[in-house]
Amino acid sequence: MKKKLALALTLATFVSAGAAFASPVHPGGLGIGALWGGTINNNDFHNNVALSLKLPGIPIFWGATVNFGEAFGIGLQGDYYFLGGPIVPTLSWFLGFGGYADIRLGDNASIGFGGRLPIGLTWQPISLLEVFLNAAPRLGARIQTGSGGGFHFPSGGFFLFEAGLRIWI
């Protein structure tokens, strides 16, 4: 009985937190924008830019990334925000989980994949415009060619930050 009650309370908490976050912060339409981010890993800094996309009816925030750093790369990331809520009427916070996959080209070409844990703030001064800032620690694996090639775990950029804006249609 106690296990069923604990499970019911946990489920109710997640559902109500998700509902509280979804309605005042993100309209139900199409969200499209851009983000700039950076990864700090082993004292190296790597830039990336991305197209940010939120499709109506799908609870995933997508990013199609282009990476600049040691090598040129492209990638895809998707995040689901499961907790969050308003701090003040136009400013909210969020916490989620997601995944990523990328391909880097060059002398040390590689394929990487793993998980993300985004936590951040979103500011919506008007209903059509959203500005966001988040940190998204990543943990994953990388398969690399060239010098230092092979399977590498852990990999992924242990501190990733992103800033961007979306227009809601």
Side-chain angles (χ1 to χ4, degrees):
M1 180 68 177
K2 287 182 181 181
K3 287 182 183 179
K4 289 181 183 179
L5 180 60
L7 180 60
L9 288 173
T10 302
L11 182 59
T13 300
F14 280 114
V15 169
S16 63
F21 175 68
S23 57
V25 178
H26 297 102
L30 173 68
I32 188 165
L35 68 85
W36 171 77
T39 305
I40 300 170
N41 191 5
N42 297 329
N43 296 323
D44 292 328
F45 180 78
H46 305 279
N47 286 303
N48 66 59
V49 293
L51 170 67
S52 174
L53 183 64
K54 170 64 175 78
L55 299 170
I58 299 173
I60 307 293
F61 288 79
W62 297 101
T65 63
V66 178
N67 301 302
F68 303 98
E70 295 173 357
F72 173 78
I74 58 172
L76 181 66
Q77 63 191 38
D79 297 327
Y80 173 74
Y81 302 159
F82 61 90
L83 286 176
I87 298 170
V88 295
T90 60
L91 181 68
S92 295
W93 69 277
F94 61 87
L95 173 65
F97 66 89
Y100 73 93
D102 63 29
I103 298 171
R104 293 184 189 165
L105 306 173
D107 293 338
N108 294 318
S110 66
I111 297 174
F113 54 91
R116 296 167 37 97
L117 189 66
I119 182 169
L121 297 172
T122 180
W123 176 53
Q124 203 161 357
I126 58 174
S127 63
L128 295 176
L129 178 65
E130 175 189 9
V131 179
F132 59 91
L133 177 66
N134 67 274
R138 303 183 334 172
L139 180 62
R142 183 159 300 280
I143 302 167
Q144 183 174 331
T145 65
S147 65
F151 182 80
H152 300 277
F153 178 84
S155 177
F158 301 106
F159 180 74
L160 176 76
F161 66 89
E162 298 167 330
L165 61 95
R166 279 187 206 94
I167 303 296
W168 290 91
I169 302 169

